[in-house]
Amino acid sequence: MAARTEAEASLERRRSSILENINGATPLAEIIEQITEIVSCKLDGAPCCCQIADGARLGVCPPDGENLRIVQMNIRGRSGPLLGSFIAGLRPLSKPSVLETEALAVGAGLATLAIETRRLYSDLLRRSEFDLLTDIQNRFSFDKRLDAQIEETRLNAGVFGLIYVDLDEFKQVNDECGHQVGDLYLQAVATRMKHQVRSVDLLARLGGDEFAVLVPEVRKRADVEEIALRIERSFDEPVAVAEYVLHASASVGIAIYPEDSLTKDGLRTLPTARCIKQRTPRSRLRGCWPKPGSHSTLKSDA
């Protein structure tokens, strides 16, 4: 009796530890493995594993060829598709019991909590770091990465670049075509700029019509200028949005660390000033025209 009480107390301590880990930084795979161990203990050491839907199989899977009685319980989320399933291999002559159902239910419940909590955290983290409209990094994420890049580059005595992009006359798009078209336009130009940067670069929307690109792993100013030129040329082709064809451009400026500035504020201010200084009549919205065949009566004053 005492041994059973101690075993139950040990399982409860392990369960409490798992709950703490779910709310901590322990990897999800490690938590799921801990859950399978609890289920296995409740089933007198029977091999038990967890198959994550569209993911890994974790734990000790019942071996093939041993004629075990295989039991399974689905891991159900609060909504949506199944999250996975628990699988255990019991003695071949054993009969189904309430104990095995309870053990699998405990495992499935803990797994549901672990998987959904981590997915919620991942979703919240993404929402905090990504611009929901354009699906690129936001200002918060960009500032955090820029701080880290300055520190890393200072330690390594390296060089990195910053490209600042300001969409010209974006207010005119909203005023003449409507905010919905303006949002679609932002999505389209963000996609175009994505295709012009390297995989190591970080493209972010700072807000409104302002974008920036952090350009690490460069050796000289010309490397950054090449990417900036590609971004500028990506606006040469008209942007077809809803029933409109938008002929637009952007003002693009660059700054190089440490040549232009040693501070984040200096790196952020310098390319902005250069954009304004270098803006030319060519860098203006050239029209917000209906697509051929559309029924819009919108006219442009460009």
Side-chain angles (χ1 to χ4, degrees):
M1 183 68 178
R4 179 180 177 182
T5 301
E6 175 57 31
E8 290 177 351
S10 176
L11 286 173
E12 184 58 31
R13 288 193 296 269
R14 294 170 72 174
R15 179 179 175 276
S16 297
S17 176
I18 288 173
L19 291 174
E20 291 180 5
N21 291 339
I22 289 174
N23 293 313
T26 305
L28 178 59
E30 184 175 333
I31 293 173
I32 296 298
E33 288 173 346
Q34 293 171 354
I35 295 173
T36 63
E37 291 172 1
I38 283 186
V39 176
S40 179
C41 286
K42 284 181 169 290
L43 296 176
D44 297 326
C48 177
C49 66
C50 176
Q51 174 65 61
I52 305 296
D54 299 322
R57 175 172 289 194
L58 303 166
V60 180
C61 296
D64 296 329
E66 294 195 11
N67 198 30
L68 296 175
R69 181 169 66 86
I70 304 299
V71 293
Q72 179 173 328
M73 179 172 288
N74 290 330
I75 303 171
R76 299 186 180 277
R78 294 178 178 85
S79 62
L82 293 177
L83 303 177
S85 61
F86 263 94
I87 304 166
L90 305 179
R91 292 188 299 273
L93 299 180
S94 62
K95 295 182 179 181
S97 67
V98 174
L99 177 62
E100 68 186 48
T101 302
E102 290 178 347
L104 291 171
V106 167
L110 287 172
T112 296
L113 181 61
I115 295 170
E116 292 193 332
T117 299
R118 287 307 169 85
R119 289 182 178 178
L120 176 61
Y121 174 77
S122 296
D123 181 62
L124 291 174
L125 181 62
R126 180 175 180 82
R127 287 173 178 269
S128 73
E129 294 185 343
F130 278 75
D131 177 64
L132 298 182
L133 177 64
T134 58
D135 196 34
I136 60 177
Q137 306 279 336
N138 60 18
R139 179 186 290 272
F140 169 77
S141 179
F142 181 82
D143 283 344
K144 184 170 64 173
R145 175 72 178 274
L146 180 57
D147 286 333
Q149 188 66 53
I150 290 173
E151 183 65 24
E152 178 184 339
T153 307
R154 181 182 292 120
L155 289 173
N156 298 328
V159 176
F160 74 87
L162 176 65
I163 302 173
Y164 182 90
V165 182
D166 181 15
L167 304 183
D168 297 324
E169 306 294 349
F170 176 66
K171 183 177 182 299
Q172 184 180 340
V173 176
N174 280 333
D175 290 346
E176 297 190 5
C177 305
H179 288 278
Q180 183 177 4
V181 172
D183 288 347
L184 294 173
Y185 174 66
L186 288 172
Q187 293 172 343
V189 298
T191 299
R192 286 193 180 189
M193 287 189 284
K194 279 183 188 179
H195 294 155
Q196 308 309 318
V197 300
R198 306 168 303 170
S199 60
V200 297
D201 301 330
L202 186 145
L203 170 65
R205 182 187 177 205
L206 304 183
D209 58 358
E210 300 176 6
F211 295 80
V213 184
L214 183 63
V215 188
E217 300 181 17
V218 295
R219 296 182 179 181
K220 55 188 181 299
R221 181 179 294 271
D223 296 337
V224 183
E225 289 176 342
E226 179 185 351
I227 297 173
L229 183 60
R230 291 206 303 264
I231 290 175
E232 188 174 38
R233 287 176 174 171
S234 70
F235 291 88
D236 288 347
E237 293 296 322
V239 180
V241 176
E243 70 269 29
Y244 300 106
V245 176
L246 305 177
H247 296 267
S249 65
S251 300
V252 181
I254 69 171
I256 306 297
Y257 177 95
E259 179 181 339
D260 292 325
S261 179
L262 293 172
T263 67
K264 179 170 73 174
D265 288 342
L267 291 169
R268 288 282 297 272
T269 304
L270 181 63
T272 306
R274 286 179 173 172
C275 278
I276 295 172
K277 183 179 179 181
Q278 295 177 4
R279 188 170 292 170
T280 66
R282 178 182 179 276
S283 299
R284 296 188 59 201
L285 186 71
R286 297 194 293 275
C288 181
W289 301 95
K291 283 183 181 178
S294 72
H295 299 290
S296 173
T297 59
L298 178 70
K299 295 181 180 180
S300 170
D301 59 0

